[in-house]
Amino acid sequence: MLDKPNKPEKQKFNVVGTSPLRPDGVDKVTGRARFGADMVAPGMLVGKILRSPHAHARIRSIDVSKAEALSGVKAVVTKDDFNADAEDQDVLYNIMAREKALYDGHAVAAVAAISQSVARRALALIEVDYEVLPHVTDVDEAMKPDAPVLHDHIFTEGVEPKPTKPSNIAQRYEFGHGDVEEGFSEADVIVERNFKTAATHQGYIEPHACLANIANDGSGELWCCTQGHYMVRNTCASLLGIDVSRLRVTASEIGGGFGGKTTVFIEPVAAALSRKAGRPVKVVMSRNEVFRASGPTSSTSSRIKIGAKKDGTITAAESELNYQGGAFAGAPADLGAMCSFACYVLKNVRTIGYDVVTNRPKQAAYRAPGAPMAAFSVESVVEELAGKIGMDPIEFRIKNAAREGEKSSYGPKFRQVGLVETLEEAKAHPHYSAPLGPNQGRGVSCGFWFNFGGQTSTSLSINIDGTVALAVGTPDIGGSRASMCLMAAEELGIGYEQVRAIIADTSSLGYNDVTDGSRVTFASGKATIMAARDSIGKLCERAAKMWDISPDAVVWEEGHAKPAGANAGEFEPLSLAEIAASAESTGGPIAGHHEVNASGAGTSFATHIVDSEVDPETGRVQVTRYTVIQDAGKAVHPAYVEGQFQGGAAQGIGWAINEEYIYGEDGRLQNAGFLDYRIPVASDLPMIDTKIVEVPNLGHPYGVRGVGETSIVPPLAAIANSVSAAAGVRLTELPMSPPRVLKAIDENK
Amino acid sequence: MHQVHVSTKINGDEIEYLCETDETLLDVLRDKLGLTGAKEGCGSGDCGACSVMLDGRLVCSCLVLGAEAQDREVETIEGMADGENLHPLQSKFLEHAALQCGICTPGVLIATKALLEKNPDPTETEVRYWLAGNLCRCTGYDKIIRAVMDTAADMRGA
């Protein structure tokens, strides 16, 4: 039974594909659920962080003596309290400034005190002597030869010969194949345009929060809201210079992450304060700190050129994408470049990405990191090109769409993928042919995300009463515990209610990679299924023992052990509960495990249709209708799949028309709060219709594909296409805020 | 630091506490009384995650001082269910999958309960504008709006 044939397209499911109530639901509607800031410990202190007011400054000295002398202050830490030899020097530098403060909000010192008010007063007593340096926050400015240089050690990687002068361009990436120049010479029509997108923030409603309880010998516990508590453990151990085994990290309920909680900010600081004070320390970011000092997205500038024949065949495509990634290298220029043309089969394609550092907080992942900006510019040109050759934009996309067996623009060949299916659904959808009102326009866009697999460990225990305790190590950010329970129940042939899933702490389960890249339902799901199969093998062995026959003569069907056939003997089937009840006398506890570095995640595609209305007098954009069509492979819990579709679309709407990091001439962030950085509210949005397409992923036993990321890839372009249609002029810069739209309309008159 | 003595009623219980003069009601609820259902998302009244009822009025508890609760009545998410029986809104939110991470849920539920007490038959637009002060970053609001409309219909029928 361990070699179940892997033919997902033929499978019938009992519970997978239903939408039961989530196991953590009651806690979350009653206020019982414990998030990052909700934990307390006896003797707990309050930790607070002093942050640089300068975008770029040399730190001549830090005098903490007055703060340390204040009554009620138990510890003050600076860079000297961390392991200077830590493995990741950029993270070390980002969590606490060293020679220089590199952005407005960069941490420079921290205190632990007996109360909020004492901690606040202590911060005011810390004296930092800054030498203010010239700064740069714009990506194009930062790439200029005379720009202020952040790091002496960055010499652009990926160019030959390697530069001899340091610059802000950390790396150049290039992907593609064919002969682009020849391809363009074959084109009947070519469209080439430049685009810009502003930096946005994931905007999770829960600020970063953690509670550290570290003994003087460095052993201890951390409680925090994170997408990856094993990552927190390994990174904090390295930054503190202690053994990984000494630190036990528990992931709290997490109040949104979207990629922004895939690294550490305050966790090592709280741990260092706790170690120094010898008491538990809680650190909670304010919203201002979240905006200034966590990890927003890259801002970008880009140039796209696509050529096509009159029949709609794309002959060549080229993209050049510049990603502003904040104070340290690592902007997703590579992912963006790889994603930019992934929706299309191209004979000639070249994509180039630049990873650029500036005096802004280091970017972090935000849902399909790098992809939405690339799709915005590419899909805007695709829509325009379709218009120029007089072809329906969906037909144009279908003609060039990624298909099974074709080579992708970033290298590998596609396996079974569902882009054409989403486009066909879009074409047939009533939304696509619905009439438009005055000042309204319709736009379409496709989107792609790779989907991740990665290191995963899962454990499944059969309880004495026949229920099942499932331990996974990937924090649940969107209802994944329900999906895990469904997959375990499906495999074991029992009811959903009989399985309960928890997120185990780092000392209770093997290593798990971060919850990111839409990997959890795929990878933890796969590991859960395999752990269930492992336990089924053991359940069958126990049944064989009870019947005194060979284990090979036992099969598992519909939640019961049964004799494999007439030759095996005549026995009444044994239920999981019956076998569990006899566990003590048949060999002890029954559990299944699985550890894997999961591959075969299965790429995901989507097509979005958007209607927007533009007020010609104010330039205000209102999205009036929205439809998401996406391939989920197999929707394990359809209601949460829809939720991922809708959430990604809503964040995309904010990114497209509203959200923007605004820096002043002084290099300081001017809108570090939810009043001035306005994310969509309920009255801004329409209902968001969804259509789940299911083209099975051959890399998963049930055909599952991750769904979280792809949903944010098409919205920027789909909305830009709809606004451009409504305004009668091509919008090339995000966000499409009223002044920007009005300017475009006026200039077009 | 000088502390103020406050006598108040929270979810029907007589409560006394000492707080600093600059401490918010939200800090008192969370840090002094262990009522951590109200969340701090912004501390500036923009996100609504800390929504509570104060003398029957919907407020952001981060914008109210702890000292202001003297002789008032406070209702929080912890008082919404009746023992083991969930409020209809709580049940409908689960049924409609109207939450993902759940951090905004207590505030949204408190705000929605206040709406339905005021207006048992709201239009979709009225629900959207009433909830415009409660930020949710996960759901796109779609399933929240559906859960509220469905609860309102049920409660009118009951």
Side-chain angles (χ1 to χ4, degrees), chain A residues 440-621:
Chain A
Q440 292 185 348
R442 179 163 298 142
V444 171
S445 174
C446 296
F448 159 88
W449 181 245
F450 310 91
N451 284 340
F452 293 176
Q455 299 187 77
T456 310
S457 169
T458 295
S459 194
L460 183 151
S461 300
I462 309 292
N463 297 324
I464 189 163
D465 60 352
T467 59
V468 170
L470 176 62
V472 296
T474 41
D476 175 354
I477 55 175
S480 63
R481 273 166 292 190
S483 301
M484 296 307 134
C485 291
L486 283 168
M487 285 185 268
E490 183 73 44
E491 203 62 32
L492 291 164
I494 58 177
Y496 165 79
E497 285 298 329
Q498 284 167 266
V499 187
R500 296 297 271 190
I502 61 142
I503 310 303
D505 67 68
T506 56
S507 298
S508 308
L509 190 67
Y511 176 81
N512 280 267
D513 281 338
V514 171
T515 292
D516 69 351
S518 292
R519 78 177 208 89
V520 167
T521 309
F522 166 74
S524 267
K526 200 167 176 177
T528 295
I529 291 166
M530 297 313 287
R533 290 183 185 176
D534 185 31
S535 71
I536 286 170
K538 291 168 185 171
L539 287 161
C540 288
E541 283 170 22
R542 300 303 176 89
K545 210 167 196 176
M546 290 163 80
W547 290 331
D548 198 20
I549 61 174
S550 162
D552 298 341
V554 182
V555 292
W556 190 262
E557 282 173 10
E558 292 158 350
H560 289 74
K562 295 177 182 171
N567 293 342
E570 290 271 319
F571 302 102
E572 279 298 302
L574 283 167
S575 70
L576 186 144
E578 287 168 319
I579 300 170
S582 317
E584 188 176 4
S585 60
T586 59
I590 305 171
H593 311 277
H594 194 69
E595 288 81 35
V596 67
N597 190 351
S599 58
T603 55
S604 165
F605 289 93
T607 301
H608 290 198
I609 313 170
V610 187
D611 295 352
S612 295
E613 187 170 318
V614 175
D615 182 336
E617 282 177 20
T618 63
R620 181 175 181 273
V621 173

Side-chain angles (χ1 to χ4, degrees), chain A residues 123-470:
Chain A
L123 287 189
L125 291 172
I126 297 173
E127 292 168 2
V128 186
D129 183 9
Y130 293 105
E131 177 197 344
V132 177
L133 303 169
H135 64 269
V136 61
T137 56
D138 178 78
V139 63
D140 295 326
E141 293 296 321
M143 292 175 81
K144 288 181 179 165
D146 58 345
V149 171
L150 272 76
H151 300 283
D152 295 337
H153 62 83
I154 290 184
F155 299 84
T156 312
E157 303 270 347
V159 291
E160 289 298 336
K162 194 172 173 168
T164 51
K165 255 181 68 182
S167 77
N168 295 321
I169 304 170
Q171 190 149 357
R172 178 186 186 274
Y173 297 96
E174 183 173 334
F175 305 91
H177 55 254
D179 184 335
V180 177
E181 280 69 29
E182 196 184 307
F184 282 122
S185 72
E186 291 167 14
D188 295 320
V189 185
I190 293 174
V191 175
E192 182 174 9
R193 277 196 184 273
N194 294 306
F195 298 88
K196 279 193 96 128
T197 66
T200 57
H201 195 275
Q202 299 84 355
Y204 33 81
I205 309 300
E206 180 199 35
H208 298 262
C210 70
L211 171 58
N213 196 352
I214 313 291
N216 311 57
D217 68 352
S219 62
E221 299 174 337
L222 255 171
W223 161 277
C224 59
C225 55
T226 176
Q227 290 176 241
H229 45 315
Y230 295 86
M231 171 277 298
V232 171
R233 177 192 62 176
N234 295 1
T235 309
C236 286
S238 171
L239 295 174
L240 296 178
I242 58 173
D243 291 343
V244 167
S245 65
R246 296 214 174 201
L247 210 48
R248 178 185 184 189
V249 183
T250 305
S252 70
E253 292 294 341
I254 174 171
F258 315 109
K261 291 174 181 167
T262 55
T263 182
V264 295
F265 300 105
I266 55 172
E267 297 82 359
V269 178
L273 285 168
S274 175
R275 176 167 67 177
K276 202 162 185 178
R279 285 169 65 171
V281 175
K282 180 150 96 177
V283 177
V284 181
M285 272 195 184
S286 66
R287 180 54 55 180
N288 176 286
E289 288 178 291
V290 172
F291 276 112
R292 288 168 66 210
S294 63
T297 64
S298 292
S299 58
T300 65
S301 66
S302 60
R303 181 185 62 81
I304 307 296
K305 185 177 175 186
I306 308 178
K309 288 188 180 164
K310 279 183 188 147
D311 72 352
T313 311
I314 298 177
T315 58
E318 189 177 52
S319 66
E320 195 174 303
L321 307 140
N322 308 314
Y323 284 74
Q324 174 283 124
F328 301 93
D334 48 346
L335 300 177
M338 290 162 88
C339 287
S340 56
F341 290 113
C343 289
Y344 303 106
V345 174
L346 301 168
K347 220 167 118 191
N348 307 297
V349 57
R350 178 165 60 210
T351 67
I352 295 162
Y354 286 101
D355 171 9
V356 182
V357 299
T358 66
N359 294 113
R360 296 195 189 202
K362 175 175 164 52
Q363 62 75 38
Y366 179 17
R367 219 168 185 154
M373 312 79 148
F376 161 61
S377 46
V378 167
E379 290 288 306
S380 293
V381 171
V382 164
E383 190 102 342
E384 192 174 350
L385 197 51
K388 286 214 161 139
I389 59 174
M391 215 169 155
D392 173 86
I394 291 183
E395 290 296 351
F396 181 66
R397 288 177 170 93
I398 290 172
K399 190 166 178 70
N400 296 284
R403 284 176 171 82
E404 185 175 2
E406 298 285 356
K407 185 178 166 70
S408 68
S409 63
Y410 61 94
K413 272 190 182 169
F414 287 114
R415 297 180 76 191
Q416 186 166 298
V417 294
L419 175 58
V420 172
E421 286 78 354
T422 67
L423 282 161
E424 293 288 358
E425 286 281 354
K427 200 170 66 173
H429 197 284
H431 182 172
Y432 194 58
S433 50
L436 287 164
N439 300 316
Q440 292 185 348
R442 179 163 298 142
V444 171
S445 174
C446 296
F448 159 88
W449 181 245
F450 310 91
N451 284 340
F452 293 176
Q455 299 187 77
T456 310
S457 169
T458 295
S459 194
L460 183 151
S461 300
I462 309 292
N463 297 324
I464 189 163
D465 60 352
T467 59
V468 170
L470 176 62

Side-chain angles (χ1 to χ4, degrees), chain B residues 27-85:
Chain B
D27 285 341
V28 169
L29 290 171
R30 291 182 51 84
D31 301 339
K32 292 215 150 62
L33 305 177
L35 295 169
T36 54
K39 308 298 180 190
E40 179 166 324
C42 67
S44 53
D46 298 313
C47 79
C50 65
S51 297
V52 301
M53 299 300 284
L54 184 65
D55 283 350
R57 190 172 154 225
L58 179 65
V59 296
C60 287
S61 59
C62 74
L63 298 183
V64 178
L65 290 171
E68 289 181 271
Q70 175 70 36
D71 298 327
R72 315 278 288 270
E73 287 192 28
V74 180
E75 288 169 63
T76 72
I77 186 67
E78 286 88 350
M80 194 160 169
D82 178 15
E84 61 180 337
N85 300 315

